[in-house]
Structure formats: C-alpha cells, structure tokens
Amino acid sequence: MTIDRKELDAAGRVRHETPPGPRTEVPAVDRVGVEHGASGSRVHLEDVKAYYGTKRVLHGITLSLEPGVVTGIIGPSGCGKSTMVRCINRMHEEVPGGRCEGRILLDEIDLNGPEVDVVGVRRAVGMVFQKPNPFPTMSILGNVLAGLRFVGVPRERRIERAEAALTDAGLWDEVKDRLSDPGVSLSGGQQQRLCIARALAVEPDVLLMDEPCSALDPAATMRIEELITQLKRRVTIALVTHNMQQAARIADVTAFMLAGELIEVGSTDRMFTDPQDERTEQYVTGRFG
Amino acid sequence: MAERAVLGVHRGRQGGAGPGAHPSIGGRRRSLADRIGERGLYLLSLAAASLSVVIAGGLVAKVLAEAWPALSAFGLDFLTTSAWDPVHGRFGAAAFLFGTAVSSFGALLIATPLSILIALFLSELSPRRSRGPIAALIELLAGIPSVILGLWGILVLGPVMRDTIEPALHDTLGSIPVLGNLFGPDYSIVGMLPAIVILTIMTVPIVSSLMREIFATVPAATKEGALALGATRWEMIRTVVLPHARPGMVGAVILGLGRAVGEAIAVTQVIGGTEGIRANLFLPSDTLASRIAGQYQGATSDLQIASIAYLGAILLALALLSNGVARLWVRDAAGAAA
C-alpha cells in the first residue's frame, strides 16, 4: 500500500522518487504483516473486455481482488482465466492483436489510463507463469537480482533484498550454498519458487499466479500452496487454476468463469457447497470441464 | 539396405503367424509400386548425397594437385612472402592474406553491429506488420549479383569515397596516433575501404537474417518473464535475448566472415589489385579471392598458375575452417538452448 504511486502516475517512469520504496525499511517481521492486517492492494476490474484481433474473448468481467485474500479463478480450458489475469498486468497486449477495454483499478489508479506506464504496472503487479521460466543464462541469485536491477534498487542493497525474497519464497535454505549455480539446475518445484522469489523481490502489491502448479508434482505443489497461504497477507493474490481441489484448499474467494464471462464469485466454501448458479454447480461437481 | 530386406521378411512372417488379425501391420505386404518407389527414392537420394561428397573431395584433390609445383617450390614460406613477381618467378601470399584479413574483419566490424540492430528491430521492436516486408527487402540485398555491386562500387561508391568520405575520415581520424595511419592521406577511387564497404553490404543481409532467426529461438516464456518483472524492452533484450542468443550470434558472424573471405568478383572490381602490405585503407590492395579471379586468365607461367592454385588452397582451407567452426558453434548453442 505504501509503494510509491508516482511510478505509475507519471507518464514516464519516475524510479528514484522514493528510492526502493519505504516498505523495504520496515523490519521483516512487520513486513509479513500478520499482526497488522494484510497489506497489498485492491484490484477492481470493471466491465473488462479483451480481444485477440477482432475476436472477443472476455465479455465484460467485473471482479474485485481483495487484499489479504487469495482469489481463485476456476473454469474450463479456454474460458479466459489466463487472459483476464494477463489484462491486470497488461501482459495481454504483448500478444499479437491482444487488446483490452474497460477499467482495471489498482486501488484508485486506472491501469489502462493514458498516463500510466506499462512498465510501472508490471512492477506493481507481479506474475508467476504456468511453466517455471527462470532466465536460462542466469544463476539462481542472478535471477532474483535481475528484477531488482530493472526496478533500480541500488547495487549494494540488492543482495540483501534477494536473500529476503529467497527466504520468503522458502528457497533460501535449499540454495544458499549454490547461489551461483544456473537457475535451470534446480528442480521444477524449486524453479517455480525461484520465479516466485524473483517476483517478490521487486515487492509487488499484487501477485498474479497463472496455474503455477500445473507443471509440478504433488509434493512441489504442496510447497507452493503453503507458500501462497503465507504470502497472501502481504500481497494480493490471484490464483488461476484448473484444479478445483487446489482452489478449494487455498483460495478464500473463488470466481468461476465460463466462455469469457464471470459466472459467479463468492467465498470458496459457499461456491463449493452452495453455488447459486446452475453452471457453477455443474462445474464444481465435475459434470463438465 | 540389407537390414530393411530382413525387416520385410520378418514382417511377412509375423503376418503369417496370425493371418488377418492385424492386416495393417504385416498380414498384407505393401504394394509393388510402393516398394519400388521407396527403394528408388533411397537410392536416388544416396547417389545425390554421395555425389556432393565426391565433388568436394575431388575439388580439394584437384586444387592441391594444381598447386603442387608452387607447394614444392615455396613450401610454407609462401605464407610469409609478400612478393608477387611473375617476371622473376617469386610468389607469396602474405600480402593477400593481409588484404583478406583486413577487408573481411573490417567488413564484419561494420556489419556485425548493423546486423544486430537490424535483427533486433525486426524481431523485437518494429511494428509486427512491417516485419515481413522489411525482412524481405533486406534479404533481397543478398540476391544482388556481386558483379553488379562491384560495378556500383566503381561508378558510384569510388568517386564518393575519394572526394568526400576519405578526406573527411582523414580530417577527423587521421591525427590519432598509430590508428591515424589507417586513414590517409592519399585518396583513391579503388582501394581497401571501398572493398570493405562492398563486403559489408554483402554480409549484412546474411548475418542479419541469421541473427533474426536466432533471436526468434529465445523462448517467449523467458521474454515474458522479463517483461512481467517490469523490464523495459531494452532491459528485456539486454538481460534475456542477447545472452540467450550470444553463441548463435558468434556463429552467424563467422558464417558472414566466410562469405567475406571468399568473395572475389566485387572485390576485384573495387580493391585495385596491387601487391604489398600497407596500413592506409584508402590505397589499393588485394585479397586471396580477388587475386585468383583477377590473374588466373592472364597467368604467364606454370609456376604462376600453381601459385594461384596455392592461393586457392589457402582460401579453401580458410573457408572450410570458418564454416566448420561456425557450424560447431551454432550446434553447441542450439544444444545448450535445448
């Protein structure tokens, strides 16, 4: 919440206005924010429509991602889950023909607004991808340092920030003796936690996770799920998953999408036990998808 | 082939063991036309592949045989002698080795950064719709016959070089110690610099299109990872694209070098064709390839012809070496990426 908004407001990038953001000054215990309630930002999508060329794939989504809460997004393949979260950090526009309409508010800032710098958006809204994608030419440490370099954290502070991020991602003890090994030498689950560390290092307000466990084995999946539960107090989390059990296990709020529409959203318990919409019920009981 | 025949019999037996159970596996032999077609294609392609090996081997043998009189007369001293004196029968390759090295490296020195920029523009920066046409235009450059480029070098480039570019280079860079000796003060229509420019024009299309293909192999997931972390396009290129592509880029440059080393006609037209080693890039010089193209027809003695063949052998060795190194390098890069 305390991240420097100017980085987003300015037409250009204003990086050093408050150098690495005051949040980094707060002691580690405080940053976890358990006693002080959740930090992170609220994301509000309002009538968001997304296109690939002329084909519309999202037909007006209105949804809020609340701080301190893991919002699970479920739905069958091709329903637009990934496209929706990729609109939030504006990665959708990297796809040829990708276009997004509607308002996406990060707290009070419209991320699609004309004044907003797309690079700033991605610094505030981090992302973890389906397949672990550590930078293949970089070491474990180098992967985490890369983002800090992008954000402009001064050189002498990067190492401690990287260590903190690796610790937060539950990876520090496993890699502290081999930080200069290639990032791709890690196991799949470790690589994914490295990617989470890399995203956390730049201290985003929101973390988008696009099926982060779909390429992992059950044990690695469990570690990531534990991690998500720990992280939700300091960063707003959107978790796209095709795995309903996963949503049931760790999402506090679940949103169900179908064919580019948001069908229903509510507390996970209610969504799975007492869905209001017939299609939600059919999906969560496994009758299609 | 023997193996295949055995396999065919084997399949036939299998079919016999369970007639009609799995007709598609072996119960029914393939039709006669199919079998003849398959065998015929195999033999034809084998012949074509063997032919290329035979031709390459024959080529090397013939060049060495032609060069033999010079090889036995001069030995390896040929490489360090810069004289080229048909009257007294003294020949050496040093001046042409020097000319080849300077013209090729000079061309690559300009062509490499240019090619990187073009490839980056086409693969990462330009609007998607313009990429195809621009790439096609650049590759069209590679299709210009080199003799046409050489003609352009004589008629257009040469005079501009002598009257404008070379004096300007001399005025700006000529006063630098040591390095200044490369730039002037004598100006000429033909010379090393026009050759470097022509070779640059000839290598840029190849090197840039190779690099574009190499940049295209950088996985989208890796690039997205950088962008999603808040990298600018330049930061993404610098931290992800270039490190990933570096080995392949080296290979592309070496392939370009091979092209520059071997180019004869256009260089002959613009380089001036003189012997001797000179630092001044504005003065006429000569390369291995250009010397071969320029003198073979008018050679006056058997020893001169043999010496020209010796130049050819050196050139062949250089070309094979650079090609081999580039291939190994690119393959290693591809292996590392996979």
Side-chain angles (χ1 to χ4, degrees):
Chain A
M1 292 292 273
T2 45
I3 197 167
D4 179 26
R5 288 286 167 226
K6 278 179 182 146
E7 152 175 289
L8 291 174
D9 289 338
R13 279 194 292 158
V14 184
R15 276 182 174 184
H16 298 288
E17 204 73 7
T18 50
R23 275 208 310 193
T24 57
E25 314 291 352
V26 181
V29 185
D30 215 351
R31 259 195 305 135
V32 177
V34 177
E35 288 93 45
H36 301 271
S39 67
S41 296
R42 180 170 186 270
V43 177
H44 181 67
L45 291 82
E46 211 172 285
D47 197 25
V48 169
K49 300 185 175 91
Y51 302 80
Y52 288 99
T54 53
K55 189 180 170 225
R56 191 160 81 180
V57 292
L58 292 183
H59 308 292
I61 304 276
T62 299
L63 173 70
S64 287
L65 309 176
E66 301 294 343
V69 162
V70 175
T71 304
I73 298 148
I74 61 172
S77 305
C79 70
K81 313 182 286 280
S82 292
T83 305
M84 188 192 78
V85 295
R86 289 170 63 94
C87 283
I88 299 174
N89 68 344
R90 292 183 56 177
M91 286 300 287
H92 178 59
E93 63 200 59
E94 294 297 330
V95 183
R99 195 158 55 82
C100 171
E101 290 171 0
R103 273 152 59 91
I104 300 177
L105 299 175
L106 177 69
D107 294 330
E108 67 285 357
I109 300 161
D110 184 357
L111 297 181
N112 285 334
E115 297 282 274
V116 166
D117 177 23
V118 64
V119 169
V121 172
R122 292 172 189 157
R123 285 169 188 182
V125 183
M127 184 160 200
V128 177
F129 294 82
Q130 192 166 347
K131 224 178 126 213
N133 60 347
F135 301 134
T137 54
M138 290 184 203
S139 67
I140 294 168
L141 185 63
N143 262 279
V144 186
L145 294 177
L148 297 170
R149 217 163 42 225
F150 298 152
V151 187
V153 173
R155 192 176 292 272
E156 62 276 9
R157 309 213 28 206
R158 286 184 205 154
I159 299 284
E160 62 178 288
R161 287 270 297 263
E163 179 180 341
L166 283 166
T167 308
D168 291 342
L171 197 57
W172 177 252
D173 288 330
E174 290 161 60
V175 301
K176 64 181 177 210
D177 299 320
R178 46 186 291 208
L179 289 171
S180 51
D181 286 8
V184 286
S185 69
L186 297 170
S187 73
Q190 287 173 322
Q191 285 187 25
Q192 194 61 299
R193 278 181 284 143
L194 178 62
C195 292
I196 293 174
R198 189 173 72 183
L200 289 176
V202 299
E203 306 198 332
D205 298 322
V206 181
L207 190 59
L208 308 172
M209 307 185 90
D210 188 359
E211 304 196 10
C213 304
S214 63
L216 304 181
D217 63 58
T221 299
M222 216 174 77
R223 293 229 40 187
I224 304 268
E225 289 183 359
E226 284 167 10
L227 189 56
I228 292 172
T229 311
Q230 287 160 20
L231 291 173
K232 68 181 181 186
R233 290 201 159 270
R234 44 178 286 210
V235 55
T236 305
I237 293 179
L239 172 72
V240 172
T241 176
H242 62 249
N243 179 338
M244 274 181 285
Q245 286 73 37
Q246 183 170 61
R249 282 194 298 267
I250 55 172
D252 304 290
V253 171
T254 296
F256 171 58
M257 287 179 65
L258 187 63
E261 314 243 18
L262 178 68
I263 302 299
E264 189 174 355
V265 56
S267 83
T268 301
D269 284 346
R270 187 186 64 66
M271 286 288 283
F272 281 94
T273 56
D274 182 25
Q276 305 296 298
D277 192 288
E278 199 183 333
R279 290 165 292 181
T280 314
E281 185 182 354
Q282 286 177 346
Y283 185 73
V284 299
T285 53
R287 256 173 279 169
F288 73 92
Chain B
M1 270 162 58
E3 274 177 4
R4 285 175 182 228
V6 170
L7 207 64
V9 172
H10 182 65
R11 276 185 189 164
R13 279 208 205 108
Q14 227 176 21
H22 298 285
S24 62
I25 292 178
R28 192 170 49 203
R29 298 291 301 264
R30 280 178 287 172
S31 76
L32 188 68
D34 258 9
R35 274 180 290 145
I36 291 175
E38 190 143 321
R39 180 60 48 83
L41 177 66
Y42 175 73
L43 290 175
L44 265 179
S45 55
L46 178 74
S50 320
L51 192 66
S52 66
V53 174
V54 169
I55 289 177
L59 199 82
V60 172
K62 180 67 181 166
V63 168
L64 287 177
E66 287 280 317
W68 184 247
L71 265 167
S72 54
F74 305 119
L76 288 177
D77 286 347
F78 192 73
L79 300 176
T80 53
T81 310
S82 64
W84 190 269
D85 186 349
V87 177
H88 299 100
R90 288 171 52 237
F91 298 100
F96 313 129
L97 277 169
F98 174 81
T100 300
V102 171
S103 61
S104 307
F105 283 107
L108 263 300
L109 211 61
I110 308 172
T112 302
L114 210 59
S115 300
I116 294 174
L117 290 175
I118 290 171
L120 280 179
F121 180 75
L122 289 177
S123 61
E124 304 294 339
L125 302 171
S126 65
R128 234 165 260 274
R129 241 172 253 178
S130 68
R131 288 177 190 182
I134 296 175
L137 279 176
I138 290 170
E139 279 172 30
L140 213 62
L141 260 185
I144 298 178
S146 58
V147 69
I148 304 289
L149 266 182
L151 215 53
W152 175 80
I154 299 169
L155 298 174
V156 181
L157 183 66
V160 173
M161 280 286 169
R162 184 193 55 193
D163 300 335
T164 314
I165 297 177
E166 291 180 358
L169 281 173
H170 178 66
D171 290 345
T172 49
L173 303 171
S175 55
I176 302 172
V178 186
L179 212 63
N181 292 325
L182 297 174
F183 306 103
D186 308 295
Y187 312 127
S188 162
I189 286 186
V190 291
M192 182 61 92
L193 197 59
I196 289 175
V197 172
I198 293 286
L199 287 176
T200 304
I201 296 172
M202 297 182 72
T203 46
V204 159
I206 301 165
V207 178
S208 66
S209 70
L210 279 172
M211 284 193 180
R212 195 165 63 95
E213 279 169 37
I214 292 159
F215 291 149
T217 65
V218 180
T222 311
K223 292 195 280 187
E224 284 197 333
L227 290 176
L229 265 186
T232 61
R233 210 143 280 271
W234 160 238
E235 285 168 334
M236 187 264 288
I237 288 168
R238 202 189 49 184
T239 57
V240 174
V241 176
L242 291 181
H244 193 281
R246 189 167 294 140
M249 288 162 70
V250 173
V253 171
I254 298 175
L255 281 175
L257 192 68
R259 173 89 207 255
V261 166
E263 174 53 34
I265 292 302
V267 175
T268 313
Q269 285 169 288
V270 298
I271 202 165
T274 59
E275 298 88 31
I277 296 174
R278 299 179 201 85
N280 185 354
L281 294 178
F282 303 159
L283 289 177
S285 178
D286 213 355
T287 69
L288 291 168
S290 154
R291 172 75 22 169
I292 296 168
Q295 293 223 332
Y296 188 77
Q297 293 291 327
T300 50
S301 68
D302 289 346
L303 191 59
Q304 188 176 359
I305 290 180
S307 297
I308 289 170
Y310 197 164
L311 294 181
I314 297 170
L315 188 60
L316 198 60
L318 284 179
L320 292 179
L321 196 72
S322 69
N323 238 300
V325 169
R327 262 163 216 288
L328 279 180
W329 210 300
V330 170
R331 200 178 54 191
D332 280 1

